[in-house]
Amino acid sequence: MRALVIEDDPQLRAQVSQYLTEEGYAVDSAGDGDEGQFMALEYPIDLAVIDLGLPKTPGIAIIKAVRKAGRKFPILILTARDGWQSKVEGLEAGADDYLVKPFHREELLARARALVRRSGGWSQSLLECGPIVLDTTARNVNLSGKPVELTAYEYRVLEYLVLHAGEVVSKSTLTEHLYNEDEERDSNVIEVFVRRLRTKLDPDSTLNPITTLRGSGYRWDLPRNP
Amino acid sequence: MRSLRARLLLAATLVLLVFMMLTGAGLEQAFRSSAQQGQRDKMQALVYALLGAADAGENDVLTIPANALPDPRLSRVQSGLAALIFDAKGKVIWRSSNFEGQVPDLVAPKVGDTQFTEYDDQFALSYGVSWAADSSAHLFTTPKPRRYTVAVLEDKTPYRSQLGVFRRTLWISLGFAVSALLLLQLLVLRWGLAPLQRLAKELRRIESGEQASIESTYPDELMPLASGLNTMLQGERNQQSRYRNALDDLAHSLKTPLAVLRGLVDDKAADPALRERLRDPVGRIQEITDHQLRKAATAGRRSFAEPVRLRPLVEKISGALAKVYADKQPEFSFDMDDRLRARADEGDLYEMLGNLMDNAGKWCKKRIRVSARYAERKLHLCVEDDGPGFPAEADQLLQRGMRADSLTPGQGIGLGAVAEMVRAYDGSIALGRSELGGGKVDVALSV
């Protein structure tokens, strides 16, 4: 998951970015509205955290521009005063949730998780597909009730595929959404992750949760539990 | 004298009454003197007629032969007209046959002079004359002229009744004229003061929130006042929004570093002892800034606040909350008149309804109901949900000074904020159980 943090205070920006990085997000950050708006429109974002009181382009304007451009990733707004007028304004402009400063780390992460999950069409924090269950809060995976050991990157790939179930996800899309700018990107690594995921989640090759579409990418094909 | 109209009316009435009195008195005086002049002329003519009929009687004394009387009334009993002739000594030497009663005490005028006297019941005109008998009757001697006084007396009754008729006619018509003038005055006043009344009515409508500014056109004299009032209203509202913007800036610049501090407290990599020591002061700073900023931002009850239509506001908030609680997809229902307007600050209404509806969204299963109405000069707002309802000690949430972090996150803070704002509106807030099954918050605001 790739998150964008637009916050003018450098310390808070660093803090929020750190929280999200620790949670397994690839994070881009911007210190003013103009830069933020550019990133929000151009980068492959899965979640944006936007402060409403920004220099240059205000937060509301960024949200409007993003929605006008047809980009649908969830947006969490940060407001300083619990002013409902600005909250309503932000949510009306196209944001999906709000958080009042100051906030707890857990609060921010819970909102972020819920938003990403919701954007994938899931209303529960447990993503259940047959015997495979992802707990997005604890960030662990169970197969038929038994925990599955996954590395952080393996989990990220799995979560991205499950949240985009039924869609064809290319290797480059996966690298774009999972790696930070400064990290070395090698699409071969993705193949390795997917192979390992298949072994760990489907040791008997009976489920076939991930389909490979030659030349275009991967697709999560396990239907979600009703 | 508190009413402008009463003042003007009283002054006009007094002036009119004095004018009527003076006019009446003047006219009456004029009529009286003209009537008396007429009387005098008439009597004078009778004196001349009597003298014309004069004849010498015994000893050449002046007398009027009974058959030569110039006016038949002089011989008719109680005709009201009588004549007397006195000699130089004031002794009556002739009287008309119908004269009865006492001889009046008349001053004898000089020869050729006329004396007109008004008594209680009659007029008297006496005329001094020097008269000699016709010399043709005396062959040898020329009779010496003698001094006489001819007096005519006339009863006052006809004069009085004439005066009475005049007076009655005069005062009745004056009375009518004054009443008509007063009525006219009243109409003129009403017409003239109507713009003032209209202005007052408009101000009342602004105060009651039915309109935002003075809109009608007024006469030139009132236009500066009306536009001045509009400027003032606008200025006050601008002031409020400037103030609020400044507060927003302040909040932003305070809370951002506070969020950093809060993050430090939560930072597991930091020194645990330091984190523990920081936790309490950071919590307190947060609490105090929250409380003070809210207190400063609450506009509270203001006269002439721009009226706010509640329905769109509530719909906006519910639209926003539908996103926040998208997992639940809460169903909002509204029970309020589409045209209902509240004369409260828009920001305050957002804050109160936002917090209450957010709370309901947080705790509801599915349904949220928002109702609003005016009753007994108060705005009643009610937010209900079908959630678990408030815990028994929930009333504590409404108390001032309740520590925000000792409450369930979200719930208490919002309610405490609303309770604080309600106080600024001289209102009341009560928690209860809704017929939907969950909690119910009733708020009454004096706006």
Side-chain angles (χ1 to χ4, degrees), chain A residues 7-9 11-13 15 18-19 22 51-54 67 79-88 90-98 100-107 111 114-115 117-118 122-124, chain B residues 244 247-248 251-253 255-264 266-269 279 286 290 293-294 297 316-317 319-327 346-348 350-352 354-355 358 362 409 413 417:
Chain A
E7 161 65 57
D8 55 327
D9 185 85
Q11 276 183 295
L12 188 61
R13 185 170 68 239
Q15 210 172 60
Q18 191 199 332
Y19 291 165
E22 284 164 10
D51 182 24
L52 283 187
L54 287 171
R67 294 302 185 226
T79 67
R81 203 153 68 71
D82 40 354
W84 268 94
Q85 218 160 348
S86 64
K87 274 181 216 165
V88 168
L91 290 164
E92 265 191 341
D96 299 276
D97 202 354
Y98 69 89
V100 178
K101 289 182 195 174
F103 44 83
H104 288 283
R105 176 181 187 274
E106 287 315 317
E107 228 176 328
R111 303 284 176 107
L115 286 179
R117 181 165 48 71
R118 225 194 275 158
W122 296 80
S123 57
Q124 302 294 321
Chain B
R244 200 152 267 201
L247 269 179
D248 276 344
H252 188 254
S253 47
K255 295 238 182 139
T256 304
L258 200 56
V260 175
L261 271 177
R262 162 70 73 195
L264 207 61
D266 290 342
D267 187 357
K268 293 192 178 68
R279 189 183 302 278
Q286 179 183 343
D290 275 350
L293 281 173
R294 191 161 46 237
K316 273 187 171 187
I317 296 177
L321 288 174
K323 280 186 151 182
V324 175
Y325 299 106
D327 287 348
E346 193 180 18
D348 291 352
Y350 258 113
E351 220 55 30
M352 286 187 265
N355 278 320
D358 190 18
K362 208 165 284 170
I413 301 170

Side-chain angles (χ1 to χ4, degrees), chain B residues 139-161:
Chain B
L139 294 173
F140 311 107
T141 53
T142 311
K144 259 172 56 192
R146 290 187 215 168
R147 171 94 168 69
Y148 298 99
T149 300
V150 182
V152 174
L153 303 168
E154 189 168 8
D155 191 56
K156 254 177 134 178
T157 315
Y159 166 81
R160 274 217 196 96
S161 70

Side-chain angles (χ1 to χ4, degrees), chain B residues 1-20:
Chain B
M1 197 55 49
R2 303 183 62 171
S3 141
L4 212 55
R5 189 216 290 256
R7 282 184 195 198
L8 289 173
L9 207 60
L10 185 79
T13 312
L14 285 177
V15 167
L16 257 172
L17 282 178
V18 169
F19 176 76
M20 182 187 87

Side-chain angles (χ1 to χ4, degrees), chain B residues 338-350:
Chain B
D338 275 2
R339 291 158 305 171
L340 181 67
R341 284 160 182 266
R343 192 164 45 94
D345 180 79
E346 193 180 18
D348 291 352
L349 285 171
Y350 258 113

Side-chain angles (χ1 to χ4, degrees), chain A residues 1 3 18 72 83 100 106 141 152 154 161 178:
Chain A
M1 295 295 140
Q18 191 199 332
K72 295 197 170 60
V100 178
E106 287 315 317
V141 181
E154 285 164 5
L161 286 174
L178 302 182

